[in-house]
Amino acid sequence: MFKMFKKLAGVLVCASVLAACNLTDEQLSVGEYDAENNVIFSEDVITNEGDITQFKSIVTEAENTGNRPDNIPSEEPAHIVKIDNPSESTLIMYVSIWSIDNTFIISRGFNNDTESFLLLDADLSKQLNDILMGD
């Protein structure tokens, strides 16, 4: 009986280690500009892998579609989103987000040339809003 318990415990430990290898240490943080023009990120980070993957997919789809807004925003973005991996000290993605008339304009990275601005369609805007609002 004890041998079987040891085997079962060994299998559970191996399964736990393998499962942990599949998890990502990535986290998504949402920030906003303060009065002094500094970006302040919320202490509440999103670690749900599905939400992070969906956010990356939204940005990738917007880049592939390449829809440009008619007007480039001149004000500071409503939100800044960063995806990073603190355990590896790696910044994976940095996106500025403007909200205009229930749609979003995004710009990836620290680049603000006119070609970097992308207009999200209604579906992508809804998906992005759901992530930002935590739905």
Side-chain angles (χ1 to χ4, degrees):
M1 181 76 163
F2 183 69
K3 281 185 174 183
M4 190 162 59
F5 178 73
K6 279 179 65 176
K7 281 186 179 182
L8 180 61
V11 168
L12 290 174
V13 167
C14 287
S16 297
V17 169
L18 289 175
C21 290
N22 290 332
L23 297 177
T24 178
D25 289 332
E26 292 180 4
Q27 61 184 29
L28 184 149
S29 304
V30 179
E32 297 178 356
Y33 280 92
D34 67 4
E36 286 81 38
N37 214 22
N38 299 308
V39 178
I40 307 298
F41 287 96
S42 171
E43 292 183 19
D44 297 328
V45 297
I46 297 171
T47 57
N48 178 294
E49 191 172 348
D51 288 341
I52 293 170
T53 300
Q54 183 180 14
F55 183 85
K56 290 177 182 178
S57 295
I58 291 167
V59 173
T60 300
E61 189 171 337
E63 290 172 336
N64 291 337
T65 304
N67 292 334
R68 305 274 182 240
D70 292 333
N71 297 311
I72 303 300
S74 58
E75 68 279 354
E76 296 296 343
H79 305 285
I80 301 293
V81 173
K82 70 175 180 172
I83 298 175
D84 63 345
N85 185 330
S87 66
E88 295 179 4
S89 298
T90 305
L91 179 64
I92 297 163
M93 187 177 282
Y94 188 91
V95 179
S96 300
I97 302 171
W98 292 262
S99 178
I100 300 170
D101 299 328
N102 296 322
T103 58
F104 290 102
I105 296 173
I106 64 170
S107 177
R108 184 169 176 180
F110 301 98
N111 186 3
N112 283 326
D113 68 347
T114 57
E115 294 299 309
S116 71
F117 290 88
L118 299 167
L119 179 65
L120 301 186
D121 64 24
D123 181 52
L124 291 178
S125 290
K126 182 186 178 328
Q127 290 178 43
L128 179 60
N129 191 56
D130 290 347
I131 293 170
L132 293 175
M133 297 303 143
D135 293 344

